[in-house]
Amino acid sequence: MLVLGIESSCDETAAAVVADGARIRASVVASQVLTHEKYGGVVPELASREHLRAIEPVVEEACQRAEITLRDVDAIAVTEGPGLIGSLLVGLVYGKTLALSLGKPLVGVNHLEGHVHAVLLENKIDRAAGKTVPGVSLPAIALVVSGGHTSLFYVSSESATAEQPQFHYRQLGHTRDDAAGEAFDKVAKLLALGYPGGPVIDKLSRFGYAGVVDFGRVRMRGNPLDFSFSGLKTAVLYRVRGTDLAREAEERRAWRRTVDKPTLDEIRARCSQATLDLIASFQQAVVQDLVERTLAAAEGSQVENVFVTGGVACNSLLRQQFTDRCKGLGLPVFFPSPALSTDNAAMIAAAGYYKLLKGERAGVSLTARASFPLGVDQH
Ligand code: KG4
Ligand code: ZN
């Protein structure tokens, strides 16, 4: 079954063609980074406008690269939510119109479920759990960590056959304020390091000493598997405000206005050791928090695997610390490749495929949902 996936929940317009929920024939992502860069974050109105411009060429390019026409597609899967409503609407209306005009089945997909499927897409499900065939096995704990989300899920499959697994999700925890990626982006904005903040902090942190600033552990009242990153972000602000670090950041901000695309070396040359140490310590604190809570969830629920997915899953320290800690525990950990960790439509097509197998179909009433919890009891 050839599924055309469409994703437009935030600032990436994406389309992909995926065969049988497993083989990516094409995956095209049009990033809006250049549009939002000067604001240090996504501007919703600009995002919708960019999606409108990009949606048609992106879908066309996906079909071209897959060497198919839209008529060859068997079904269309589109992100339904959560996300920016104006952004979601562009992809959703486009997908709905295509499905109607071509007479193809349509299915709506939860963006968070898509991120989980980015892991499943690249790592075949191993029914002989952890024996000879390398592959993921369920149940698993999935950490979805991006610019918009930081949530822990218990993912299981209650399928009768390996070919038709049906996935179930239970949310175990989520962020009560900022998402981890959002904290990276805001700290980078404060220090005038660039946008998006995650990749630049990741690379610059290699030149800093993470032990210099002790941010302490984030303690959560109530559910210990919930996250909170706004306090950490504010702690960085307090260390910067009124100090040499703030003056240095303002100089960097002025300099950045004069250069088009600064290289990492150029940015680094304008960072004092104290700034590099601060961001390395901040990154270490975020990563440690993500690792500890995820492993606590894994320990508490006796799972077979850990999945780490979403834009922040690209972070090199996060990957290294998860790999090291999970190795020590004998717990396999899986990440999508970097291209599938950040927003893409292949993960939407893959998640949609299993819904289609189940017989799910969306009608014309399918609407975008800014808030669309996954695995939460709605009663
Ligand atoms: O999944 P994604 O593309 O979009 C959302 O659904 O939010 O994630 C984007 C987020 C941004 O906040 C970005 O700063 C963060 O992922 N990110 C990273 C890294 N690469 C991207 N954060 C930390 N380290 C990275 N290497
Ligand atoms: Zn995402």
Side-chain angles (χ1 to χ4, degrees), residues 90-155:
V90 177
L92 191 122
V93 171
Y94 194 83
K96 207 154 71 164
T97 313
L98 272 184
L100 270 175
S101 58
L102 296 166
K104 309 278 183 187
L106 174 74
V107 74
V109 172
N110 185 306
H111 181 80
L112 298 169
E113 184 172 6
H115 274 303
V116 173
H117 275 270
V119 180
L120 298 168
L121 181 54
E122 287 185 315
N123 300 281
K124 261 180 55 190
I125 297 176
D126 178 9
R127 294 283 139 185
K131 300 280 175 358
T132 47
V133 194
V136 301
S137 54
L138 297 173
I141 290 296
L143 170 68
V144 179
V145 59
S146 69
H149 315 279
T150 304
S151 303
L152 278 168
F153 297 100
Y154 178 83
V155 184

Side-chain angles (χ1 to χ4, degrees), residues 264-277:
L264 187 77
D265 283 344
E266 286 170 333
I267 302 171
R268 188 186 146 204
R270 283 166 178 81
C271 290
S272 62
Q273 191 59 44
T275 293
L276 296 172
D277 293 345

